[in-house]
């Protein structure tokens, strides 16, 4: 009992220290800016939080902000985009990301019934509740998981990264073979440069610009931002003026809130658990929560025709999933999505290696970011409800304005890293590669993960063999490794199980 009380006292004390960091004027402004940008970016299809973080991170470096402040800003963009996704989903039936596709079903139906305002209000309230409650789960579970992961050695780290790799690859959309191929491209790119253990120069073809490897920002901006621009240039779509449904009032009744609150709480817990699993992500969390609430509603539900619970459940789930994804990112050092992979690479660039010792070595980062999420969720609630009409006007912005803006930010973002023309050329090369991959159905997330984790996988693999005198059995000796191998095998079959569950829900 005394140990439990000590744990809670330490957690509360650390969280209070985190609030002291988050409450500084500089960090409050960064949280607010990140939330506003995230909301605007989240509602614009084709840009998304991955592009925003990749483009803005190098610009952020020019202001010499601390690691805590940088991550607070990027986190604000990440979970702020979850709010923004719902605006375009409800008003124009176009989700900013796949995670918001479920919200379209009942959200847009409500909008067509003249209830766009209540749908947006319920979305904001559900997102706030789901995001806020999941932060409590984050601060309670992260220290426990960190203590368990302290025993990780090179062999355990290697198996953990293999698990993260297979999980994200398995859950990628489309062909599993193509996902694996994309992952191997990323792994191959990670070997370029000087070998950390031997100092041997590898795969540079005599080009000194490649001695330090290929900068992840160059790759990410090329794959996501430039490829999107190329897609619009090569295949211009003649779009009509976007018909944005008018918003009257943004109030919901007490009865509607009471009918949705139980589902919001269930979806929060489900979304958080899914977010903690590498590779699962907000899309699966939203889908599962929607179907769970549909089953709970039974014959009393009006799902698919404008049931407000069909908005509240997925919105609570995708926000809690976003918060949950910070556990594998910060505590284990493995990302579970494209966005967290970019954030991991950003932390490594800033000289911080997330992992089990992070809460000991860099506690201010974890607790500062956790506390800032409370402020961010509050800001998002206060921003989204009164200013939703202003944000709705952004949806009318044409591509001829958005894409040149993205192009300029991409060029500036890449050039300010090293001031290198070679980086700009590589950005275009990866932009072309990204466009080809998108056109042919090769997912980009496994490639990014391979690039970010490739060197760490190789380093831990070689260290484990070095410590064990070349015995491969070292990867199967500890209980931790065995559990991780079992999870790895399970993750390979998870998509098949998920598809079966999905089909059974659709039939019902």
């Amino acid at each position: 009992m005394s140990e439990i009380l000590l744990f809670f006292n330490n957690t509360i004390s650390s969280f209070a220290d985190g609030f002291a960091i988050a409450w500084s004027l500089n960090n409050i402004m960064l949280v607010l800016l990140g939330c506003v940008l995230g909301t605007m970016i989240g509602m614009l299809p084709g840009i998304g939080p991955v592009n925003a973080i990749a483009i803005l991170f190098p610009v952020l470096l020019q202001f010499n902000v601390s690691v805590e402040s940088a991550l607070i800003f990027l986190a604000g963009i990440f979970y702020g985009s979850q709010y923004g996704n719902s605006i375009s989903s409800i008003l124009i039936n176009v989700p900013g990301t796949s995670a918001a596709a479920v919200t379209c079903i009942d959200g847009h139906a409500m909008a067509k019934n003249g209830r766009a305002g209540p749908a947006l209000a319920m979305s904001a309230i559900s997102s706030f509740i789901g995001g806020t409650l999941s932060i409590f789960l984050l601060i309670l579970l992260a220290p426990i998981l960190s203590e368990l992961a302290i025993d990780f050695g090179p062999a355990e780290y290697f198996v953990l990264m293999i698990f993260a790799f297979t999980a994200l690859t398995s859950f990628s959309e489309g062909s599993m073979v193509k996902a694996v191929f994309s992952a191997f491209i990323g792994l191959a790119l990670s070997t370029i440069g000087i070998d950390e253990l031997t100092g041997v120069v590898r795969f540079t073809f005599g080009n000194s610009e490649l001695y330090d490897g290929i900068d992840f920002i160059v790759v990410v901006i090329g794959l996501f931002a430039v490829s999107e621009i190329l897609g619009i240039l090569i295949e211009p779509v003649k779009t009509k003026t976007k018909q944005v449904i008018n918003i009257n009032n943004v109030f919901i009744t007490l009865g509607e809130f009471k009918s949705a609150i139980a589902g919001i709480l269930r979806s929060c817990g489900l979304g958080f658990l899914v977010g903690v699993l590498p590779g699962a992500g907000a899309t699966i969390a939203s889908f599962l929560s929607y179907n769970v609430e549909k089953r709970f509603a039974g014959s009393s539900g009006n799902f698919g025709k404008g049931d407000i619970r069909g908005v509240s459940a997925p919105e609570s789930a995708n926000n809690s999933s976003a918060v949950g994804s910070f556990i594998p990112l910060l505590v284990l050092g493995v990302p579970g999505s494209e966005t967290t992979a970019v954030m991991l690479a950003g932390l490594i660039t800033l000289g911080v290696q997330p992992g089990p010792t992070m809460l000991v070595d860099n506690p201010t980062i974890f607790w500062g970011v956790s506390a800032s999420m409370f402020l961010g969720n509050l800001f998002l609630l206060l921003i989204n409800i009164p200013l939703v009409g202003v944000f709705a006007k952004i949806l009318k912005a044409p591509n001829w304005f958005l894409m040149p803006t993205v192009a300029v930010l991409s060029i500036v973002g890449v050039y300010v890293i090293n001031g290198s023309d070679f980086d700009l050329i590589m950005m275009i090369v990866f932009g072309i590669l990204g466009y080809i991959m998108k056109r042919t159905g090769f997912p980009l997330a496994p490639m990014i993960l391979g690039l970010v984790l490739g060197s760490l996988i190789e380093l831990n693999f070689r260290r484990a063999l070095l410590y064990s005198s070349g015995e491969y059995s070292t990867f199967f000796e500890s209980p931790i490794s065995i559990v991780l191998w079992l999870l790895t095998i399970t993750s390979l079959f998870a998509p098949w199980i998920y598809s079966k569950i999905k089909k059974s829900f659709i039939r019902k």
Side-chain angles (χ1 to χ4, degrees):
M1 186 67 181
S2 60
E3 291 182 359
I4 296 175
L5 290 175
L6 180 62
F7 168 76
F8 278 106
N9 285 334
N10 290 337
T11 300
I12 293 171
S13 175
S14 298
F15 194 56
D17 292 338
F19 259 110
I21 295 168
W23 202 250
S24 69
L25 179 61
N26 181 51
N27 287 335
I28 287 176
M29 295 303 295
L30 286 173
V31 170
L32 183 58
L33 179 61
C35 290
V36 172
L37 288 175
T39 300
M40 293 190 295
I41 289 163
M43 71 175 76
L44 297 174
I47 299 180
V50 179
N51 287 330
I53 291 172
I55 292 170
L56 294 174
F57 178 72
V59 177
L60 191 66
L61 293 178
Q62 305 308 305
F63 294 93
N64 296 318
V65 297
S66 65
V67 178
E68 295 90 344
S69 297
L71 191 56
I72 283 171
F73 175 67
L74 299 180
I77 293 176
F78 181 30
Y79 56 80
S81 67
Q82 307 302 316
Y83 279 73
N85 285 337
S86 65
I87 298 176
S88 58
S89 298
I90 292 169
L91 295 183
I92 61 174
N93 202 29
V94 177
T97 64
S98 58
V102 180
T103 306
C104 289
I105 301 172
D106 285 278
H108 191 62
M110 287 183 66
K112 289 194 293 184
N113 294 334
R115 306 199 69 229
L120 289 166
M122 178 55 79
S123 169
I125 293 169
S126 302
S127 297
F128 173 75
I129 295 173
T132 302
L133 292 180
S134 60
I135 296 169
F136 285 106
L137 296 174
L138 173 70
I139 63 177
L140 288 175
L141 294 181
I144 297 172
L145 188 58
S146 179
E147 288 291 330
L148 294 174
I150 287 292
D151 295 330
F152 278 40
E156 287 77 14
Y157 266 120
F158 170 75
V159 185
L160 172 66
M161 291 176 187
I162 293 297
F163 165 54
F165 218 78
T166 55
L168 186 57
T169 302
S170 297
F171 279 109
S172 295
E173 295 181 1
S175 168
M176 177 72 171
V177 175
K178 290 181 178 180
V180 171
F181 185 77
S182 295
F184 276 109
I185 293 177
L187 288 172
L189 291 173
S190 71
T191 63
I192 296 173
I194 299 175
D195 183 3
E196 291 186 43
L197 292 181
T198 63
V200 174
V201 177
R202 305 183 299 184
F203 309 115
T204 61
F205 305 100
N207 190 333
S208 60
E209 296 272 5
L210 294 174
Y211 281 6
D212 292 329
I214 301 176
D215 196 293
F216 89 96
I217 294 176
V218 176
V219 178
V220 171
I221 291 179
L223 286 179
F224 291 98
V226 177
S227 67
E228 194 69 33
I229 296 169
L230 289 176
I232 290 175
L233 290 175
I234 295 171
E235 303 170 70
V237 179
K238 295 180 180 179
T239 55
K240 299 179 181 179
T241 303
K242 297 170 185 174
Q243 297 298 316
V244 181
I245 294 176
N246 292 327
I247 304 167
N248 297 320
N249 67 77
V250 290
F251 298 105
I252 60 173
T253 66
L254 183 60
E256 287 175 325
F257 179 75
K258 286 181 177 179
S259 70
I261 186 62
I264 292 173
L265 297 177
R266 281 191 294 266
S267 299
C268 172
L270 179 61
F272 184 83
L273 291 175
V274 172
V276 170
L277 298 174
T283 303
I284 293 175
S286 299
F287 171 80
L288 288 177
S289 65
Y290 182 86
N291 282 286
V292 166
E293 292 314 304
K294 189 176 180 180
R295 290 174 69 87
F296 266 98
S299 59
S300 67
N302 193 30
F303 282 71
K305 299 178 182 178
D307 195 311
I308 201 165
R309 291 169 291 184
V311 175
S312 61
E315 287 303 305
S316 174
N318 63 36
N319 276 270
S320 59
S321 176
V323 174
S325 66
F326 278 86
I327 284 189
L329 172 66
L330 297 178
V331 179
L332 299 178
V334 293
S337 65
E338 295 170 345
T339 308
T340 50
V342 174
M343 293 176 75
L344 172 62
L347 285 172
I348 294 173
T349 301
L350 292 169
V352 176
Q353 177 59 62
T357 61
M358 187 170 186
L359 269 69
V360 177
D361 298 337
N362 298 287
T364 56
I365 296 176
F366 175 81
W367 295 110
V369 172
S370 299
S372 74
M373 289 181 180
F374 272 105
L375 298 178
N377 273 281
L378 180 60
F379 287 152
L380 284 166
L381 182 66
L382 297 176
I383 290 169
N384 272 265
I385 292 180
L387 297 181
V388 69
V390 177
F391 287 132
K393 293 179 181 179
I394 298 173
L395 290 170
K396 297 181 180 180
N399 283 333
W400 61 259
F401 171 77
L402 291 176
M403 290 304 114
T405 304
V406 172
V408 171
L409 289 173
S410 298
I411 293 169
V412 171
V414 167
Y415 192 76
V416 297
I417 303 170
N418 301 311
S420 169
D421 295 339
F422 180 79
D423 285 347
L424 294 176
I425 295 172
M426 293 302 294
M427 177 189 73
I428 296 172
V429 170
F430 281 106
I432 296 171
L433 176 62
Y435 170 73
I436 294 172
M437 290 177 70
K438 286 180 180 179
R439 287 285 296 156
T440 52
F442 286 85
L444 300 180
M447 181 176 168
I448 293 297
L449 195 64
L451 177 64
V452 173
L453 293 184
S455 59
L456 295 173
I457 290 174
E458 180 187 12
L459 191 63
N460 283 290
F461 176 76
R462 292 164 69 181
R463 281 178 176 171
L465 290 179
L466 187 66
Y467 296 159
S468 65
S469 301
E471 292 292 332
Y472 286 92
S473 60
T474 187
F475 298 110
F476 305 92
E477 288 177 345
S478 72
I480 295 174
S481 294
I482 293 171
V483 170
L484 289 171
W485 279 122
L486 290 174
L487 289 173
T488 300
I489 295 170
T490 303
S491 70
L492 294 174
F493 291 97
W496 178 78
I497 297 171
Y498 169 65
S499 65
K500 291 293 182 183
I501 296 172
K502 184 176 180 180
K503 288 178 181 177
S504 70
F505 276 126
I506 291 173
R507 282 197 297 267
K508 294 177 182 179

